[in-house]
Amino acid sequence: MTSTTVPGRATRRNASHDRRRVSSHGWKVRWSYIYLLPFMILVALFTIYPIIASIGYSFIKWDGLTAPDGFVGLQNFVQIATDHFFWLSVAHSLWYAAFVVPIQLFIALILALILNRPKFKFTSIYRSLFFLPAVMSPAILAVVFRLLISALGVDWLGDPDVVMWVIIVIGIWQTLGYNLVYFLAGLQTIPYELYEAAEVDGAGWLGRLRHITLPGLKNISVVILLMAILGSLNVFDLVMVLTGGGPYFASSVTNTYIYQLAFGNFYSGAGASSNVEQNVGLASAGSVFYGIMLLGLTLIQFVALARIRKKTAEQNQGAIG
Amino acid sequence: MTASTLSAISTAADQDQLGAAAGAGGRRSRKWVRHLPVHVVMAALGLVWVYPLLWALTSSFKTKMDMFGDGPSVLIRSMPQFQNYLDAWTQANFGRYFFNSVVITVLTVVFTVVFTAMAGYALARTHFPGRKVIMVVVAITMFLPRGYTLIPVFDLVYQLYLLNTIWAVVVVQVAGGMIFSTFLFMGYFMSANKELEEAARVDGAGFNRTFLYVMLPTARPMIATVGLFSFISSWNDFIIPLVFTLGRPDLRTIPVGVAALTGGSAGTDWPVLCAASVMALLPIVIVFVVAQRHIIDAFAGAVKG
């Protein structure tokens, strides 16, 4: 099929226009399947199959090293549901999210409002300073913090009473940049005619914030909140390298606990959570359990988002009509 | 989430878009002075934010004695110790980790871009049966926690004889970022110039030619976005290279290798570790400085879409 125009070809094409269309559609479909092949294979093998297999694994007893010991029914789920250390880890994850998310979103919103102000100079420098840790490897940043904390001459990571707070502060520091950028993106979507109109109506700074900026951020805020919550409930690298969950489970989060159940203590930080016995079935039950929790949370937030979108659409309709 | 909506994000903040609305009128020149207290606060906070990185940088040039001597000072008392970098590169095996990281990241980025551009185009341009089903299934899986699938994937990789190879890391990383990137490309191709494509078809170009020579070159901004996302996540990744090279310390990537160094005995040489951390973070800093606006726009666009 060359692209040069040959006299007479055009008429031939017109004559068989309909037939060509049909066959070219067939071609397209066939090539589409080929184009989709790598995607389909990889998604099926590494995303869809593991989701199903995880559930299967959660019903067997297996230490991950020798041959599986066979089907044990719901035993793994019962065991995980009564495992003190699993719940402790889940509690730490929730604790982490409960502090990181609101504090981080609050700071990010304030910073975004400042950086979005007209005529405010050096915006891109400030934005880069706050965003830089967000694009860096959490594992390497955790190494830096371990060294920094040791150099301060304190044993924060070895103290069960303070270790979670240190991790929370580092967590806020590391991921704040994302939310700053997301909020800035949201602020850019607010039409500035609205501010002009408010100005004419004599609205002050606070009035504009209350009646234009915050309502304008509503939609994107739900997305930001969703991502921040899911992200913080999935914290892994930071905790793994900082403490490995230790000292004695004091900073163990769900992901580090499940990791240690599944893969053992091969890599652990200084104060690792000490000898979690490897049990792949139990780890699978734990991840299925936690996965369902997170999925439920996601669905709730989706419903909330859909409702807010609908409400906003109705309001806009009302304003126009 | 088209490129046009993305490009507006970061630029508008610097522009005087809201200037008129703020009612500054003729007093614009004094705005900077009025902002001064805010600048002081922002600069202080900004310094706090980069302090850990600056600390790592200065510490990497210190001697072991200095590091303990003057605590978290930013100053370097003795001569800068470039030897730390040399030691990290050779003795701490950083050179090996760097090589592994580069190979894995390059392969991951290339395969991600090629496969997701193809899949995105196919999904955007054809209406074969099952298209909707694929998209719904895939969208749901996107919100499951990453760790959820790690155990069966480990077993799968083992059974495919890929465990403890570089390919295990690459294939799992490519698969991991695939769905999101495919959606980005699909979004782009759905809103892309259809007339151009029509013209190519009239000229007799088939599906492949149209994709390769007509549509793909127009998708350059999206290729850059997907490439950057894939580069950042692959270079920074910890859990996938950790799990799939458990039995092969010589295949560790930088984050795994450097993190493992800290787990060692008390005799760990801190300045050397700082040097290793600085070298680990440097490629990201360089890419960030070069493509700053594009990176920020890409992240901002992902949430706006």
Side-chain angles (χ1 to χ4, degrees), chain B residues 273-296:
Chain B
L273 256 176
C274 281
S277 303
V278 170
M279 285 194 285
L281 298 174
L282 208 59
I284 289 285
V285 175
I286 291 168
V287 169
F288 187 75
V289 168
V290 171
Q292 191 212 96
R293 180 140 292 170
H294 195 91
I295 291 176
I296 291 177

Side-chain angles (χ1 to χ4, degrees), chain B residues 113-292:
Chain B
V113 169
V114 170
F115 288 165
T116 61
M118 284 165 62
Y121 185 68
L123 284 169
R125 276 298 177 267
T126 45
H127 300 273
F128 51 83
R131 188 180 98 134
K132 279 226 170 85
V133 178
I134 295 173
M135 279 157 58
V136 170
V137 170
V138 148
I140 292 170
T141 60
M142 211 160 97
F143 291 94
L144 276 170
R146 266 316 260 297
Y148 184 91
T149 55
L150 205 58
I151 298 161
V153 166
F154 184 82
D155 201 39
L156 184 71
V157 164
Y158 172 75
Q159 294 192 359
L160 293 171
Y161 296 101
L162 288 175
L163 196 63
N164 292 323
T165 67
I166 281 206
W167 289 105
V169 182
V170 172
V171 84
V172 177
Q173 282 186 346
V174 170
M178 187 147 235
I179 293 169
F180 180 65
S181 303
T182 299
F183 275 144
L184 284 183
F185 269 116
M186 189 181 76
Y188 173 80
F189 284 122
M190 278 170 96
S191 64
N193 190 347
K194 287 202 174 72
E195 283 157 32
L196 203 67
E197 200 176 18
E198 204 58 41
R201 189 141 48 112
V202 170
D203 277 349
F207 193 82
N208 291 317
R209 273 173 164 272
T210 312
F211 174 67
L212 262 178
Y213 297 116
V214 181
M215 296 316 286
L216 207 55
T218 72
R220 235 175 275 149
M222 205 34 92
I223 294 173
T225 298
V226 169
L228 275 173
F229 271 129
S230 157
F231 167 76
I232 291 171
S233 65
S234 174
W235 186 266
N236 289 343
D237 199 4
F238 177 68
I239 187 165
I240 293 170
L242 169 70
V243 166
F244 295 104
T245 60
L246 276 179
R248 287 281 299 273
D250 60 315
L251 289 184
R252 285 173 178 168
T253 58
I254 294 171
V256 180
V258 173
L261 287 177
T262 65
S265 58
T268 310
D269 197 329
W270 288 3
V272 171
L273 256 176
C274 281
S277 303
V278 170
M279 285 194 285
L281 298 174
L282 208 59
I284 289 285
V285 175
I286 291 168
V287 169
F288 187 75
V289 168
V290 171
Q292 191 212 96

Side-chain angles (χ1 to χ4, degrees), chain A residues 261-276:
Chain A
L261 269 182
F263 300 103
N265 276 326
F266 180 84
Y267 174 80
S268 348
S273 3
S274 72
N275 304 327
V276 178

Side-chain angles (χ1 to χ4, degrees), chain A residues 38-163:
Chain A
F39 174 81
M40 301 271 248
I41 293 172
L42 288 179
V43 169
L45 275 181
F46 293 98
T47 306
I48 294 172
Y49 159 76
I51 289 172
I52 301 159
S54 247
I55 299 169
Y57 280 40
S58 63
F59 293 109
I60 59 166
K61 190 174 159 69
W62 186 25
D63 63 3
L65 303 169
T66 52
D69 294 345
F71 186 79
V72 292
L74 287 172
Q75 197 195 305
N76 286 327
F77 285 96
V78 172
Q79 202 178 332
I80 203 86
T82 53
D83 181 359
H84 169 69
F85 293 113
F86 176 73
W87 287 111
L88 188 67
S89 309
V90 172
H92 285 153
S93 290
L94 294 172
W95 182 3
Y96 178 84
F99 281 94
V100 169
V101 174
I103 295 173
Q104 185 180 62
L105 292 191
F106 181 73
I107 302 174
L109 180 60
I110 301 280
L111 289 177
L113 287 173
I114 292 170
L115 293 180
N116 196 51
R117 281 184 75 107
K119 284 301 231 176
F120 194 78
K121 302 246 168 163
F122 315 124
T123 332
S124 60
I125 296 174
Y126 292 133
R127 203 182 39 204
S128 301
L129 289 184
F130 293 114
F131 193 58
L132 204 51
V135 284
M136 290 177 158
S137 160
I140 299 293
L141 294 176
V143 170
V144 170
F145 269 97
R146 271 182 67 169
L147 296 169
L148 179 57
I149 290 169
S150 305
L152 287 172
V154 287
D155 189 27
W156 286 341
L157 296 177
D159 185 340
D161 294 329
V162 286
V163 65

